[in-house]
Amino acid sequence: MYTSLSSNLNLRVVRATCGFALTLTTVSALLLAATSSQADDTSQQISAEELQVPTRVVTLGTGTPSIDAGRAGTATAVIVNQDQVYLFDAGSGFMQTLGRFEAEGKRDIFPATSPNPNAMLPTFLDKLFLTHLDSDHILGIPALLLRGWVLERDHPVRIWGPAGTRTVVDGVVEAYQPDIQHRLGSLPISKEAPYTGIVEELGSDPGTVYQDRYVTISAFNVDHGNWAQGKAYGYRIEAPDKTIVISGDTRPTPNLLEHAKGADILLHEVMSVAGMETMSEDWQHYMLDAHTTTRQLADIAREIDPELLVMIHPLFLGAPEETLLEEMQAVYDGNVTLADDGDVFE
């Protein structure tokens, strides 16, 4: 089902047809030690029949390094049973999209967090999975760490990502010390260290990286420019009622085809052929080494055959926005849509 997105306050729902005395290093080490021994609750795996609401995917940011009106940096939320939220990437401005879900009739997407029915406290954003460390995928990390804490998240954010993730997170905490110390001294909020992140850096062959009673999340390698093996990932999220695959930034790769088999919803990056062909030869070479054209994505989608193909991280490259969907529909006759910020897929 499609409902057109005609303004920033409208919501489109698309359904698939399937069923500080311490140093930063010491703080990170202590937090990791405190939680690494605590297994996630998998003792009572929930079934699809037990879900009160279907698993939903919300594109909180669909943008790229380009400045595209209405598109925040890349960020995708998977919400299971309107209870647990799993965030994939944290591009700049993605938290602003959450404000759309405070409107009447849209408050049943994310977990309720405030006694005030008109307010949303994003304390449910406490699990982040990074596909890679390109800036357009991580510029929202300061907002994730600090705004959630100021709005009374009382525990650190858990973060999974490639080698270098801990450097990014510790760097954010160090850079924002003036803000942190001011708020520690003046606001009635947690005085521990919930403004930081507990980081798990994934290796070159990550496999299953997280599991709880709602999901099993696996990371797999993809090919994105000159990022080395184990530095760029896609993710497979197996929920009780559907399987979701997020490509990350990637050129076509057999590894994605292998790990995306059986996906009900495939969220995949894409670039316009028409736009790319206007670029210089050097830039075309780079784009083809790092990204996936509409024609290539059509081949991937035919191989995987998802119930719904969602195009994210759209690289228009100077072509009109409608050109990208036209290119895709000319070569692929499956269920496909170009995501906007704030779209909900179930």
Side-chain angles (χ1 to χ4, degrees), residues 175-187:
Y176 283 87
Q177 277 301 304
D179 170 81
I180 290 169
Q181 295 305 319
H182 160 70
R183 296 183 190 278
L184 283 172
S186 59
L187 296 182

Side-chain angles (χ1 to χ4, degrees), residues 28-38 198:
S28 294
L30 289 175
L31 289 170
L32 182 58
T35 61
S36 60
S37 62
Q38 299 175 6
I198 303 166

Side-chain angles (χ1 to χ4, degrees), residues 20 22-28 141-142 145-146 149 165-182 195-197:
F20 229 29
L22 299 175
T23 65
L24 297 179
T25 302
T26 304
V27 169
S28 294
I141 288 178
L145 296 181
L146 300 174
W149 166 55
T165 300
R166 187 170 291 108
T167 298
V168 171
V169 172
D170 283 352
V172 167
V173 175
E174 182 175 7
Y176 283 87
Q177 277 301 304
D179 170 81
I180 290 169
Q181 295 305 319
H182 160 70
Y195 49 79
T196 189

Side-chain angles (χ1 to χ4, degrees), residues 13 47 80 97 104 130-131 133 139 154 184 196 209 213 229 236 244 261 271 291 302 317 319 323 330:
V13 178
S47 68
V80 183
T97 309
E104 188 70 35
L130 295 174
T131 61
L133 299 181
L139 283 169
D154 60 3
L184 283 172
T196 189
V209 298
R213 65 191 298 260
Q229 178 89 351
R236 180 184 178 96
I244 300 146
K261 289 178 181 177
M271 67 175 166
H291 298 289
R302 280 191 290 268
L317 306 177
T323 300

Side-chain angles (χ1 to χ4, degrees), residues 248-287:
D249 284 10
T250 183
R251 62 179 180 264
T253 168
N255 207 37
L256 183 138
L257 292 175
E258 178 183 346
H259 287 85
K261 289 178 181 177
D264 299 301
I265 301 177
L266 172 62
L267 295 102
H268 202 293
E269 70 120 83
V270 67
M271 67 175 166
S272 166
V273 173
M276 184 195 66
E277 290 178 344
T278 66
M279 305 180 81
S280 69
E281 184 175 341
D282 287 348
W283 272 103
Q284 288 192 42
H285 177 77
Y286 165 75
M287 298 305 291

